[in-house]
């Protein structure tokens, strides 16, 4: 079974995920069952960008307006008949919360009769199978996907399928929606759906579209990834004139719209999430008259979209004026100004700026200065142990970036001169190794009693005499029948050899200080064994005693 909660969490933006949690908390406190529904589920499963969040509650969401406002949300619009609330959640996340309901159409072109219902009944009133799914966000069933019409299969098959034969007759706006989805996803209509679509088109069902539905379809164009392509498809099918009789693709600033979408994608890759909707509407209607634009705005239900669209030029001019003044006199100041500005204004001004200086500053902000930022941490910072583990590292990194932008840190010498006072003190040297008695004691334990006695005797006299080797440690060599030279007595060889070797530790002690007696004993024992092994050779060996 697929883990849809995990899929939701990795597909939503951080702000959208916070919005989901906020809606959960408020509806749970109100005792309402909550479901993520419609296009949000479709886009989460299909992998397309998630434009807004659609919620369905079993209850009246209009009662929760004050709670959402206290939590930082803005109420964009409400629909008393449908018990629907349009929100702008913190982080400028668009959301729609609707009551789970049934809709009964008594006559084409008339609003439906609405009644509260369970979530399964609500899914039956939807337009297409890919939109008739719900994800439970309730305790006890969290993560359960409700898919009564097998919408997941149609997503995998990439098909758009209506739920029943009267779908286009009940709500003609579904003709526009089918065309918009086909243009956005590049999915064909299912065979039966295509037949019903053609019949509805031939029967001019679109003439019965509700005024409120027209406003929703206009607003939907603002948030398309390729709005020009969708608008051309609507024009080709004959639906665009029902949104506005004078609206055509010729009234669109195609070049400006293309540049806008390209810059928007660039900003998204840099981590920004600008709402391009107001700017999109500006370019889609750039060649319409003021009166025609005003008529379009009256149809849109969302107040936030209308206000942002109306004020976008004034806000862009204000930002351009600031970029030309002392507030942006240096690259670092320009960076601060553009970083604090709304991403929507930066996006719009990047495309519409008429002053070359303003255009160049925004271009540097989006490209050249980002490359400078990627150089941090500098090698000199690592060399001086200025690493992200330091509490003051973010401030140091920011200050270095600002100085680099202004050209005040050009050489390695300048960089080191600035960073050295900020570097942490070097770590203390490691402690010297301890000379423990463990090894000496172990060596002494392996020494013979005779060697220990000799070492003790030498330590008492100040000089070392020869130590007689143990009788068992010196095997007697058998003389040859005709020896070339008379063999020296074995005991004399042992004495001489041991005497020479034992003398060394005493001499070494006089030069380097006292050592443990066990070291001498070990040396004496090793020398005795070596001398005994060579005892059988028939050579004359004169012992020399060294001091």
């Amino acid at each position: 079974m697929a883990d849809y909660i995990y899929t939701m969490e990795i597909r939503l933006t951080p702000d959208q995920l916070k919005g989901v949690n906020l809606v959960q908390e408020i509806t749970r406190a109100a005792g309402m069952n909550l479901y993520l529904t419609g296009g949000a589920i479709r886009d989460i499963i299909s992998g397309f960008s998630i434009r807004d969040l659609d919620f369905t509650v079993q209850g009246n969401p209009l009662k929760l307006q004050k709670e959402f406002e206290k939590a930082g949300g803005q109420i964009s619009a409400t629909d008393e008949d449908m018990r629907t609330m349009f929100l702008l959640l913190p982080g400028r996340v668009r959301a729609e919360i609707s009551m789970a309901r049934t809709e009964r159409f008594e006559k084409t072109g008339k609003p439906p009769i609405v009644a509260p219902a369970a979530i399964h009944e609500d899914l039956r009133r939807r337009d297409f199978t890919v939109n008739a799914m719900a994800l439970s966000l309730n305790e006890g069933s969290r993560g359960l996907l409700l898919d009564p019409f097998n919408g997941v299969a149609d997503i995998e098959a990439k098909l758009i399928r209506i739920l029943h034969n009267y779908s286009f007759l009940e709500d003609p706006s579904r003709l526009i929606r089918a065309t918009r989805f086909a243009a956005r996803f590049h999915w064909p209509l299912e065979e039966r759906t295509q037949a019903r679509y053609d019949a509805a088109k031939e029967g001019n069902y679109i003439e019965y579209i509700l005024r409120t539905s027209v406003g929703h379809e206009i607003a939907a164009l603002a948030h398309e990834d390729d709005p020009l392509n969708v608008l051309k498809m609507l024009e080709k099918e004959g639906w665009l004139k029902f949104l506005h009789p004078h609206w055509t693709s010729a009234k669109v600033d195609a070049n400006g719209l293309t540049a806008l979408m390209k810059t928007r994608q660039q900003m998204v890759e840099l981590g920004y999430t600008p709402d391009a909707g107001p700017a999109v509407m500006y370019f889609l209607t750039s060649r319409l008259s003021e009166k025609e634009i005003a008529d379009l705005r009256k149809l849109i239900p969302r107040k936030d979209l209308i206000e942002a669209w109306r004020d976008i030029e004034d806000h862009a001019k204000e930002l351009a004026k600031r970029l030309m003044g002392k507030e942006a006199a240096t690259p670092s100041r320009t960076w601060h100004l553009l970083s604090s500005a709304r991403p929507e204004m930066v996006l719009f001004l990047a495309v519409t700026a008429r002053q070359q200086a303003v255009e160049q500053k925004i271009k540097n902000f989006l490209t050249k200065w980002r490359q400078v930022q990627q150089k941090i941490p500098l090698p000199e910072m690592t060399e001086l142990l200025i690493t992200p583990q330091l509490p003051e590292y973010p401030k140091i990194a920011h200050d270095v970036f600002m100085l680099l932008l202004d050209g005040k840190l050009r050489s390695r010498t300048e960089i080191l001169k600035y960073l050295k006072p900020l570097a942490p003190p070097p770590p203390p040297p490691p402690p010297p190794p301890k000379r423990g008695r463990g090894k000496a004691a172990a060596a002494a334990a392996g020494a013979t009693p005779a060697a220990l006695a000799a070492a003790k005797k030498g330590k008492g006299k100040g000089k070392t005499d020869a130590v007689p080797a143990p009788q068992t440690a010196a095997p007697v060599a058998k003389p040859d029948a005709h020896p070339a030279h008379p063999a020296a007595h074995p005991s004399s060889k042992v004495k001489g050899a041991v005497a020479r070797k034992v003398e060394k530790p005493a001499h070494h002690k006089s030069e380097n200080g006292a050592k443990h007696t066990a070291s001498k004993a070990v040396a004496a024992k090793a020398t005795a064994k070596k001398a005994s092994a060579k005892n059988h050779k028939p050579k004359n060996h004169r012992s020399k005693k060294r001091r």
Side-chain angles (χ1 to χ4, degrees), residues 105-179:
F105 294 86
E106 292 187 338
K107 188 177 181 180
T108 303
K110 297 293 183 181
I113 298 174
V114 175
I119 185 64
H120 292 85
E121 295 297 323
D122 180 86
L123 297 178
R124 292 179 182 276
R125 68 166 182 84
R126 305 263 171 173
D127 48 8
F128 307 108
T129 57
V130 294
N131 290 338
M133 296 180 288
L135 181 67
S136 174
L137 300 178
N138 307 300
E139 292 181 347
S141 62
R142 180 176 169 82
L144 176 64
L145 181 70
L146 305 178
D147 183 15
F149 299 99
N150 213 7
V152 173
D154 283 338
I155 289 176
E156 294 175 351
K158 299 181 179 180
L159 289 174
I160 299 173
R161 186 195 307 268
I162 55 176
L163 268 62
H164 53 81
N165 292 336
Y166 299 100
S167 182
F168 295 124
L169 177 63
E170 291 180 348
D171 186 359
S173 68
R174 291 170 180 169
L175 294 167
I176 299 177
R177 210 142 53 242
T179 303

Side-chain angles (χ1 to χ4, degrees), residues 3-4 48 73 113 151 175 224 325 394 410 447 481 491 516 526:
D3 188 348
Y4 292 104
F48 287 96
I113 298 174
L175 294 167
E224 291 289 343
R410 297 180 180 274
S491 61
H516 199 278

Side-chain angles (χ1 to χ4, degrees), residues 53-72:
L53 302 175
D54 300 320
F55 297 98
T56 300
V57 296
Q58 293 184 203
N60 185 0
L62 300 181
K63 296 179 180 180
L64 306 177
Q65 293 185 55
K66 291 183 179 180
E67 284 75 9
F68 280 108
E69 289 176 344
K70 290 179 181 178

